[in-house]
Amino acid sequence: MRSRSNSGVRLDYYARLVNSTILCHQNTVTGLLPASPEQQDAWVRDNVYSILAVWGLGMAYRKNADRDEDKAKAYELEQSVVKLMRGLLHCMMRQINKVENFKHSQSTHDALHAKYNNGTCATVVGDDQWGHLQIDATSIFLLFLAQMTASGLHIIFTLDEVNFIQNLVFYVEVAYKVADYGMWERGDKTNMGIPELNASSVGMAKAALEALDELDLFGARGGPKSVIHVLADEVQLCQSILHSMLPRASTSKEIDAGLLSIISYPAFAVEKIELVELTKQEIITKLQGRYGCCRFLRDGYKTPKEDPGRLYYEPAELKFFENLECEWPLFWTYMILDGLFNKNMQQVEEYREALDGILVKQEGGIRLIPELYSVPADKIDEECENPHTVNRTPMGKLPHMWGQSLYILGCLVAEGFLAAGEIDPLNRRFATVPRPDVVVQVAIVAETVEIKEALGKHGIQAQTVTDVYPIRVQPARILSRIYARLGRNKRMMLSGRPYRHMGVLGTSKLYFVRDEIFAFTPQFIDKQEFYLALDNQMVVEMLRTELSYLCRCWRKTGRPTVTFPISQSMIIDDETNIDPNVLSTLRKLQDGYFGGARVQTGNLSSLLVTSCCTHLSFMELGPDESRDELTVYLNQLLESKPPQTNLLPTAQKKGLHRFRAAAHATQDLLSLAHKAKGLDVQNASLYLPSSLLSFSQPLLNPTAASAGRLKTNEEIPFIIEPKYLPDVASSEIDCNALVEQLKTCSNLQEQFELIHIIYQVKGIDWDTNMTENPSTTVRDLLIELYTKAGIAHQWGLIRYISGMLRKKIEELDEACTTLLSNQKHLTVGLPPEPRERTISAPLPLNELTKLIEAASEQNPSLAILTQEIVVYLAMYIRTEPNLFAEMFRFRIGLIIQVMATELANCLNCTGEAATEHLISMKPFDLKTLLHHILSGKEFSVEEINVRHSTRKHISIHDLDHTGATKSDRAGIRKLKIQMKQTGSITAQHEMDETHKQASHQMPHVAETLIHVPLEGSDFVDARHGQWLRRRRIDGALNRVPIGFYRRVWNILQKCQGLAFEGSILRSSTTEEMTPGEIKFAVQVETFLNSVPHPEYRQLLVETILVLTMLADADVQIIGEIIRVDRIAHMANNLFIEDQTALGADDIMLEKDIATGICKLLYDSAPSGRFGSMTYLLKAVVIYVDEFLPGTGCAMQ
């Protein structure tokens, strides 16, 4: 008989260890493992981790087999793994209805349960009796299902089970926006059952999605139908959110040792090596002790001060757990595995040696890992005074099977029985390895032959849709509909993937569906969705952004291929020339470099060879489907009730003259009012836009009057809000006569005015009988008018009609979720509360739009503008996250006000005129203005006349330190303006009238935004007013200095709180929260947001910043609440005294009416002899003089 080798003897030892600590507890029927002999419930997460040692030992026996018995042992161990994984699968499949419901609701009540009955796979507690929603638990199951399948285990048996796993993919792919209870099951660390977004859940979901993508669950015996499909855009969203969170773990936990499972084995979810190292060092620095790592700061679990009779903690109680947190040896097993994968043998040896010293040793050489080590009750004071000095005692489960399993797995790899790659067959360990540069392929497709010829004249090679056949080009929404069929199973009542918009990573692949090849255009080009795609400059900008995004985020085999269609809307000048913005972009694409991306253009057929391609096997023919079923299906998807066209008369003039018809002469402006009188329209002023029937009236808002650009005795129209309109019976107005008038009216503006009256009286669904079709409603007329306004690029009219039609930006909820997932809160509506509404959790699209409409007080244009700003913010946070550093709340209404203010300052116009400019701006210009405000750079805005246009164009320029633009320095701006004005002198009066007309298309918005305090227009030097602008912008954006929140936490340790008028930020906040928590930052933001004026808010931020210097000084505890506003006013008085002594008059020292602060102080630089910080420092010294140390050196 062959003797046993040393390796065989050692393996047998680990087999005894596995049997005595893990397998002896496995249920013989279900295969599940209980938490402990005392706790018989089976937790999903613990079961998966506990079986890893069995899986690894099975592979070790198969690899190092000395005899046939070893191979048999390997098979036995592998089947134990399969039995447990299938047991968990059965538990989840018994709750299949929850999986289906959760896909649509993301509710905690529809979550899969976190634990099950060990013997029956049944649930053990109610839906609301446990923190069941734990995305990481489901994800760890899916991750190791993929890893084990790749290693050769056969766990999934039927296509029904494949469909269920596919639906579990849909369950976890929304992890980036779902607040759950996390890997410690209690959510917020107060244990009050408050779910929060957890980095551990997002990271584990990302790892599971990547592992399952294109994986055949039947292994080598499978076919196309057993392959799992994952959308790359969902993976990338998880990655973006994960990177934005780390090293923070959640809103209430600034660091968590559980993140070790995300940055290293098993997830390897983080691709930035510097972020991995930063997170690891944070864990070691803040959480590591002599017996392991504590889970997170102020963790009260099983500490001697915890009340075992309560599940929750009082907020102020968390302070008592500081320095007493239990230490878990579990996390050192992660550190051992991390060292093995990184080939850092020094780290491996250090942690193995440290772990060996705290293992509980039993007879037979059995070594057990306890759950945790706790401070003895009689050593509490000693440990608090000198952390990590007291000898602790083991508590909790013995062994802790999760930790025991990872310990054994680490030993098997460290001792050479397994290679690190064998427990990671899908090669996730290479996540941080740099990838080669990506080349983005762009195929230009012309909508018509005429467009193709027009492109050819400029040297741009393109194909028509007919030319690219047999490749079929479809819009992105069709791909979304196709993916909605993925995972459908009628027998199991699974509906498939919920309909969601397709991201650019998804549309940049080519798809094989049966015998056909499909290419899909990007989502942002779909003009059916919203008016943003009507702006060609915006389309070009979004293309640039998406190409850059593809270069950064593409992870697939093969190159991304973007199909860029050139449509009729990109043709100008009587439909003969290409839009200059589009043409310039196409030329840059052909040059091979655009927007920071390497680009290769070509025909779709020639790019096919190097493209990334996906076979959509779930679209294969079923037994009852005919060969042409796909064509029928796609036709059904593309079919939608087309809007009725040619309902409204069109101006007879062609080309430019057709649009110039909007530029009325003065008598034309009054004609409609006379027609209204002739039609016996009572109270016509209630229905016509106010500009047509305006009468001279002094401005009613004193704030706006003092702040606007009003000249002496200047008068503006008095505008009536729609909510104040009296109810008028429809019998008072002959709407049928208005309809007859509409039939002969060919001007867009007049058509809108007439429809607006009918809309006000009859509502949007009134049948106008405009045509023989009996169902021609006001809605149909508005839709056609919207289309015509889009062709004419009448952006103010477009926005107002969009509001009347209650149009929604389809990706609004996704944009809002993106901002929230990046730990940013939103407020919509104009301040103050209760008009301003806060959004702190994702909402469905309908609920979100209703909330915005309510916050906008039914003002349609403000609601639409709010939607636009939210979408633009989401675009920027995805592409330029550095813009949002130290910003935790976006106040959309305040941002809109500041944008209007900037226009008023730069254009030297009234607040009303600035608001009209804002609403009439092109989407691209609006997005550019927002970017300049976010970036904090100095800029100027000017209004210029453009040749062959009836509208004036807003131009935005960067300023240098002298206040000059690049064009100014080059000396060419004046020349450009002269060139643009050439040939336009005769049309100047017409343009002015058109601008005046367009400004009145939004009859009820200007008076809403005009309440923003606009500073005086005497900005002769562009640098004058610079600091006021900066404070106003930073205040509106809630931007604070780096490290501000940590400094506030420190000063709260030395006083009872900070106060502003009726708002108080109490020092008790620090007893619950640590300085690095987002939760604490949100509390500070809530306190600061009680200040309605952005520049005043920013001055108070500077005041608090000066106050925080006390925390760095040797200052005794201040036993009172500090009045921040009082200090600011003291500084203001000191400033006025100094300026008065220097000869400043009352006009120069004018005070802001609302806050009482001198406007010149707002416009003072922080530093310098007369800087704001100088006076704030003096005021702080005076306010807290008795608390300063005797020498005063620290404050000095």
Side-chain angles (χ1 to χ4, degrees):
M1 182 176 179
R2 190 155 56 103
S3 62
R4 194 74 166 137
S5 65
N6 291 335
S7 61
V9 172
R10 190 65 178 162
L11 275 179
D12 290 341
Y13 162 74
Y14 284 120
R16 290 197 307 274
L17 187 58
V18 165
N19 277 305
S20 62
T21 58
I22 299 174
L23 285 179
C24 65
H25 301 292
Q26 188 173 28
N27 187 278
T28 56
V29 176
T30 64
L32 300 179
L33 291 166
S36 68
E38 295 76 28
Q39 282 185 308
Q40 284 296 304
D41 296 337
W43 270 261
V44 174
R45 181 188 305 99
D46 293 54
N47 267 253
V48 174
Y49 274 119
S50 299
I51 208 65
L52 293 186
V54 183
W55 176 49
L57 185 62
M59 289 190 290
Y61 264 112
R62 188 171 297 282
K63 178 182 179 182
N64 300 279
D66 281 344
R67 49 195 182 186
D68 291 342
E69 289 85 347
D70 292 341
K71 295 179 181 179
K73 185 66 175 176
Y75 181 77
E76 178 187 347
L77 292 168
E78 290 168 353
Q79 292 310 300
S80 296
V81 175
V82 171
K83 189 175 183 68
L84 180 137
M85 295 295 286
R86 288 193 59 77
L88 292 175
L89 178 65
H90 291 156
C91 291
M92 298 180 195
M93 291 185 72
R94 291 166 68 103
Q95 294 194 302
I96 200 167
N97 61 314
K98 289 189 174 295
V99 174
E100 177 62 24
N101 293 337
F102 184 84
K103 290 187 300 184
H104 305 283
S105 71
Q106 278 100 56
S107 168
T108 55
H109 297 290
D110 293 324
L112 287 170
H113 279 212
K115 59 179 182 177
Y116 299 91
N117 186 289
N118 183 44
T120 65
C121 293
T123 58
V124 291
V125 293
D127 293 345
D128 56 352
Q129 295 176 341
W130 199 262
H132 288 298
L133 181 52
Q134 299 170 29
I135 297 291
D136 75 294
T138 308
S139 299
I140 195 73
F141 168 77
L142 292 175
L143 172 60
F144 278 105
L145 172 67
Q147 293 278 28
M148 291 170 179
T149 300
S151 73
L153 297 187
H154 187 199
I155 298 172
I156 303 300
F157 292 171
T158 68
L159 287 178
D160 286 336
E161 293 175 358
V162 171
N163 286 332
F164 179 74
I165 297 300
Q166 181 67 69
N167 278 268
L168 284 186
V169 167
F170 306 148
Y171 182 94
V172 303
E173 71 180 5
V174 294
Y176 63 90
K177 62 179 180 180
V178 173
D180 68 348
Y181 295 102
M183 66 189 304
W184 310 125
E185 303 192 309
R186 295 187 179 182
D188 184 281
K189 67 181 180 184
T190 57
N191 284 5
M192 291 186 177
I194 303 172
E196 56 183 0
L197 194 68
N198 288 280
S200 55
S201 294
V202 178
M204 199 60 73
K206 173 187 179 285
L209 293 173
E210 289 179 327
L212 282 169
D213 190 23
E214 303 293 333
L215 181 73
D216 193 328
L217 291 182
F218 289 172
R221 304 184 183 122
K225 290 195 174 183
S226 54
V227 173
I228 295 297
H229 297 271
V230 176
L231 272 75
D233 292 282
E234 306 295 341
V235 178
Q236 184 57 38
L237 283 169
C238 288
Q239 174 171 300
S240 299
I241 300 306
L242 180 63
H243 284 185
S244 73
M245 293 181 72
L246 293 177
R248 287 190 179 102
S250 68
T251 303
S252 69
K253 306 179 187 75
E254 64 175 271
I255 191 65
D256 189 324
L259 293 175
L260 288 170
S261 65
I262 303 305
I263 63 175
S264 187
Y265 188 79
F268 296 106
V270 183
E271 298 183 1
K272 295 181 179 179
I273 186 64
E274 60 274 11
L275 193 54
V276 171
E277 292 301 323
L278 173 62
T279 305
K280 189 191 303 183
Q281 287 305 313
E282 284 280 296
I283 292 171
I284 293 173
T285 303
K286 295 182 179 180
L287 303 179
Q288 185 163 277
R290 292 168 53 203
Y291 297 86
C293 298
C294 57
R295 299 188 300 180
F296 47 86
L297 298 176
R298 297 185 177 179
D299 175 18
Y301 180 67
K302 290 191 180 297
T303 60
K305 286 195 173 184
E306 182 187 40
D307 182 356
R310 278 188 292 119
L311 279 176
Y312 65 91
Y313 304 131
E314 298 294 343
E317 186 180 4
L318 294 178
K319 176 79 173 175
F320 301 144
F321 303 139
E322 196 167 308
N323 294 325
L324 296 177
E325 301 96 337
C326 294
E327 296 175 359
W328 296 56
L330 162 71
F331 299 112
W332 282 354
T333 66
Y334 281 108
M335 295 299 289
I336 291 172
L337 287 165
D338 175 69
L340 290 168
F341 276 98
N342 292 324
K343 298 181 180 179
N344 185 345
M345 299 316 297
Q346 180 181 355
Q347 176 179 317
V348 174
E349 292 304 319
E350 285 178 1
Y351 280 100
R352 288 192 75 186
E353 182 179 347
L355 194 58
D356 187 63
I358 61 173
L359 294 176
V360 177
K361 300 175 177 62
Q362 294 187 341
E363 295 181 1
I366 301 298
R367 300 183 177 188
L368 306 179
I369 287 192
E371 182 178 11
L372 51 84
Y373 279 85
S374 179
V375 176
D378 58 342
K379 299 291 182 69
I380 293 176
D381 295 336
E382 183 181 345
E383 179 69 7
C384 288
E385 292 176 7
N386 301 291
H388 308 301
T389 58
V390 169
N391 292 327
R392 301 187 175 213
T393 57
M395 291 184 65
K397 305 178 185 70
L398 186 69
H400 183 232
M401 275 192 275
W402 174 352
Q404 189 76 26
S405 176
L406 292 181
Y407 164 68
I408 295 172
L409 193 64
C411 289
L412 290 173
V413 177
E415 295 179 24
F417 295 108
L418 290 173
E422 290 178 289
I423 58 174
D424 178 35
L426 292 174
N427 297 324
R428 295 208 48 77
R429 61 194 179 280
F430 299 126
T432 57
V433 175
R435 291 178 169 82
D437 292 340
V438 175
V439 177
V440 182
Q441 301 179 155
V442 179
I444 302 169
V445 178
E447 192 176 67
T448 64
V449 175
E450 291 75 18
I451 296 176
K452 176 182 176 181
E453 293 173 353
L455 289 169
K457 292 177 183 178
H458 296 281
I460 308 296
Q461 299 300 316
Q463 293 179 295
T464 64
V465 175
T466 306
D467 295 336
V468 301
Y469 189 82
I471 300 176
R472 302 176 61 173
V473 179
Q474 298 290 337
R477 66 181 183 277
I478 300 301
L479 184 58
S480 296
R481 294 293 182 188
I482 288 176
Y483 265 106
R485 297 187 65 176
L486 177 61
R488 284 186 186 175
N489 189 304
K490 293 181 180 179
R491 293 174 57 202
M492 303 173 75
M493 292 184 290
L494 292 171
S495 62
R497 185 178 187 269
Y499 178 84
R500 298 192 190 102
H501 282 281
M502 194 61 55
V504 70
L505 295 175
T507 57
S508 297
K509 297 192 288 185
L510 298 182
Y511 292 86
F512 290 90
V513 182
R514 300 179 191 164
D515 299 328
E516 311 244 10
I517 305 173
F518 284 83
F520 295 93
T521 58
Q523 185 75 53
F524 66 83
I525 293 176
D526 196 340
K527 293 179 176 58
Q528 281 197 3
E529 302 297 344
F530 204 67
Y531 58 74
L532 298 185
L534 298 174
D535 181 1
N536 289 331
Q537 202 169 358
M538 188 69 181
V539 169
V540 167
E541 171 65 13
M542 288 192 285
L543 175 65
R544 184 192 65 79
T545 301
E546 298 293 21
L547 292 181
S548 176
Y549 180 74
L550 280 170
C551 274
R552 293 196 319 273
C553 304
W554 187 258
R555 298 292 181 269
K556 297 288 185 180
T557 302
R559 290 176 175 178
T561 302
V562 176
T563 305
F564 185 57
I566 308 300
S567 61
Q568 201 67 37
S569 63
M570 298 178 182
I571 307 299
I572 59 172
D573 292 345
D574 291 331
E575 304 180 353
T576 57
N577 285 328
I578 308 297
D579 185 295
N581 296 301
V582 177
L583 186 60
S584 173
T585 298
L586 296 179
R587 286 174 172 159
K588 289 176 182 177
L589 290 173
Q590 285 198 327
D591 289 341
Y593 195 82
F594 180 60
R598 291 178 58 197
V599 179
Q600 178 181 340
T601 58
N603 297 333
L604 265 178
S605 55
S606 62
L607 298 177
L608 176 62
V609 180
T610 52
S611 295
C612 175
C613 302
T614 295
H615 181 225
L616 300 183
S617 53
F618 61 90
M619 291 289 290
E620 294 296 330
L621 282 171
D624 300 326
E625 296 175 327
S626 59
R627 172 57 59 179
D628 63 343
E629 186 271 340
L630 173 62
T631 304
V632 174
Y633 176 68
L634 287 176
N635 289 339
Q636 289 174 347
L637 290 178
L638 287 168
E639 279 179 3
S640 60
K641 181 183 177 183
Q644 299 183 50
T645 56
N646 301 323
L647 302 176
L648 300 171
T650 304
Q652 297 301 313
K653 298 179 181 180
K654 301 295 183 181
L656 175 65
H657 301 290
R658 184 178 66 186
F659 301 127
R660 282 184 177 169
H664 301 173
T666 304
Q667 60 268 28
D668 295 327
L669 289 173
L670 301 175
S671 64
L672 193 62
H674 293 302
K675 292 173 186 176
K677 293 178 182 178
L679 294 170
D680 295 325
V681 177
Q682 303 297 321
N683 298 323
S685 63
L686 303 183
Y687 303 98
L688 295 179
S690 56
S691 58
L692 298 183
L693 301 164
S694 60
F695 53 89
S696 296
Q697 174 87 4
L699 186 65
L700 300 182
N701 187 336
T703 304
S706 65
R709 298 292 187 274
L710 301 180
K711 310 301 180 187
T712 305
N713 300 324
E714 182 181 353
E715 297 174 340
I716 69 166
F718 171 63
I719 303 174
I720 301 175
E721 283 274 30
K723 62 182 179 181
Y724 300 123
L725 297 180
D727 292 328
V728 180
S730 59
S731 60
E732 295 183 17
I733 295 178
D734 188 351
C735 287
N736 290 321
L738 290 177
V739 171
E740 291 302 317
Q741 179 64 41
L742 193 59
K743 291 180 180 179
T744 61
C745 175
S746 61
N747 180 270
L748 283 180
Q749 179 66 28
E750 289 189 0
Q751 288 174 354
F752 169 70
E753 291 160 355
L754 287 167
I755 296 173
H756 190 267
I757 298 174
I758 301 171
Y759 170 84
Q760 289 285 337
V761 176
K762 295 291 188 180
I764 199 167
D765 294 316
W766 184 66
D767 190 350
T768 62
N769 293 312
M770 274 281 288
T771 64
E772 297 178 358
N773 189 337
S775 60
T776 305
T777 63
V778 175
R779 186 188 304 275
D780 296 324
L781 300 181
L782 285 171
I783 290 174
E784 180 171 344
L785 192 62
Y786 172 85
T787 302
K788 290 183 176 181
I791 295 173
H793 291 173
Q794 297 265 4
W795 298 109
L797 194 57
I798 289 169
R799 287 188 175 98
Y800 197 79
I801 297 173
S802 296
M804 293 170 67
L805 290 170
R806 294 180 179 269
K807 275 184 170 287
K808 313 177 189 75
I809 300 182
E810 295 295 330
E811 60 267 25
L812 176 65
D813 55 335
E814 297 173 12
C816 183
T817 297
T818 298
L819 295 173
L820 292 170
S821 301
N822 279 277
Q823 295 85 59
K824 313 295 182 187
H825 287 191
L826 294 172
T827 66
V828 294
L830 298 174
E833 294 182 349
R835 179 169 60 175
E836 190 177 31
R837 310 285 185 89
T838 300
I839 303 172
S840 57
L843 294 173
L845 180 59
N846 289 333
E847 287 184 34
L848 186 58
T849 51
K850 286 180 182 177
L851 179 65
I852 291 175
E853 287 170 3
S856 303
E857 297 184 325
Q858 306 307 316
N859 187 321
S861 292
L862 179 59
I864 285 293
L865 210 55
T866 298
Q867 293 187 44
E868 268 193 74
I869 298 300
V870 170
V871 170
Y872 298 154
L873 286 172
M875 288 180 182
Y876 284 131
I877 205 169
R878 188 178 72 167
T879 57
E880 300 181 61
N882 55 305
L883 288 177
F884 303 92
E886 300 302 317
M887 293 165 54
F888 287 98
R889 180 168 295 178
F890 300 129
R891 304 174 74 182
I892 306 300
L894 210 53
I895 290 174
I896 293 174
Q897 283 187 338
V898 168
M899 294 171 78
T901 303
E902 289 300 301
L903 288 178
N905 287 338
C906 295
L907 298 177
N908 194 24
C909 64
T910 65
E912 181 186 7
T915 301
E916 292 162 352
H917 280 303
L918 184 68
I919 295 166
S920 300
M921 288 177 73
K922 293 170 57 178
F924 174 78
D925 293 330
L926 191 67
K927 180 172 179 277
T928 303
L929 177 61
L930 177 63
H931 184 272
H932 279 74
I933 289 173
L934 289 172
S935 65
K937 296 179 181 178
E938 293 301 316
F939 64 94
S940 68
V941 181
E942 66 177 358
E943 187 181 16
I944 60 174
N945 295 319
V946 182
R947 188 179 180 183
H948 299 315
S949 175
T950 60
R951 293 174 299 280
K952 294 185 178 180
H953 177 64
I954 299 294
S955 178
I956 301 175
H957 307 278
D958 290 323
L959 295 178
D960 65 5
H961 65 282
T962 66
T965 66
K966 183 177 180 181
S967 298
D968 288 334
R969 295 193 304 273
I972 61 174
R973 177 188 290 184
K974 185 176 180 180
L975 178 61
K976 281 187 174 182
I977 293 175
Q978 290 174 348
M979 293 173 63
K980 289 177 180 177
Q981 289 177 341
T982 302
S984 63
I985 297 175
T986 58
Q988 186 61 50
H989 173 72
E990 188 178 8
M991 291 178 183
D992 291 340
E993 290 298 328
T994 299
H995 178 68
K996 187 185 299 182
Q997 180 88 357
S999 71
H1000 294 309
Q1001 292 173 353
M1002 306 302 108
H1004 310 301
V1005 183
E1007 72 277 15
T1008 303
L1009 296 185
I1010 200 172
H1011 294 290
V1012 59
L1014 304 179
E1015 292 303 316
S1017 61
D1018 52 343
F1019 287 13
V1020 178
D1021 182 0
R1023 289 171 293 175
H1024 183 61
Q1026 174 179 327
W1027 284 103
L1028 169 63
R1029 292 174 65 192
R1030 183 167 296 180
R1031 286 189 173 97
R1032 180 181 291 134
I1033 290 172
D1034 285 346
L1037 296 175
N1038 287 17
R1039 183 179 280 136
V1040 297
I1042 294 175
F1044 176 74
Y1045 302 108
R1046 192 174 293 274
R1047 285 177 167 271
V1048 173
W1049 193 91
N1050 290 336
I1051 192 63
L1052 286 175
Q1053 297 281 81
K1054 298 195 174 187
C1055 66
Q1056 292 183 5
L1058 304 176
F1060 163 78
E1061 293 183 356
S1063 300
I1064 300 177
L1065 180 65
R1066 298 193 179 277
S1067 60
S1068 58
T1069 308
T1070 62
E1071 296 176 358
E1072 175 190 354
M1073 306 168 195
T1074 55
E1077 290 181 25
I1078 293 179
K1079 192 176 177 181
F1080 176 72
V1082 171
Q1083 288 282 351
V1084 177
E1085 283 298 316
T1086 303
F1087 166 69
L1088 291 173
N1089 284 346
S1090 61
V1091 184
H1093 306 282
E1095 55 268 43
Y1096 188 37
R1097 176 195 188 277
Q1098 204 61 20
L1099 189 65
L1100 295 183
V1101 168
E1102 294 176 33
T1103 306
I1104 295 173
L1105 191 63
V1106 174
L1107 267 173
T1108 60
M1109 295 180 184
L1110 293 174
D1112 302 327
D1114 185 17
V1115 180
Q1116 300 299 317
I1117 293 177
I1118 303 172
E1120 62 178 33
I1121 292 177
I1122 299 176
R1123 294 295 303 271
V1124 181
D1125 53 338
R1126 187 176 299 170
I1127 295 175
H1129 280 87
M1130 289 170 61
N1132 181 61
N1133 294 334
L1134 293 171
F1135 176 80
I1136 292 176
E1137 289 176 8
D1138 281 0
Q1139 295 298 319
T1140 302
L1142 292 172
D1145 56 18
D1146 291 341
I1147 296 176
M1148 190 174 181
L1149 298 178
E1150 180 187 1
K1151 291 185 178 180
D1152 182 77
I1153 297 175
T1155 62
I1157 299 294
C1158 177
K1159 294 182 179 180
L1160 190 58
L1161 178 61
Y1162 280 140
D1163 200 24
S1164 299
S1167 60
R1169 179 184 173 189
F1170 300 108
S1172 60
M1173 297 294 278
T1174 301
Y1175 293 98
L1176 289 172
L1177 279 166
K1178 291 179 181 179
V1180 167
V1181 170
I1182 295 171
Y1183 188 86
V1184 297
D1185 182 54
E1186 64 271 24
F1187 305 107
L1188 291 176
T1191 61
C1193 293
M1195 180 54 70
Q1196 186 67 27

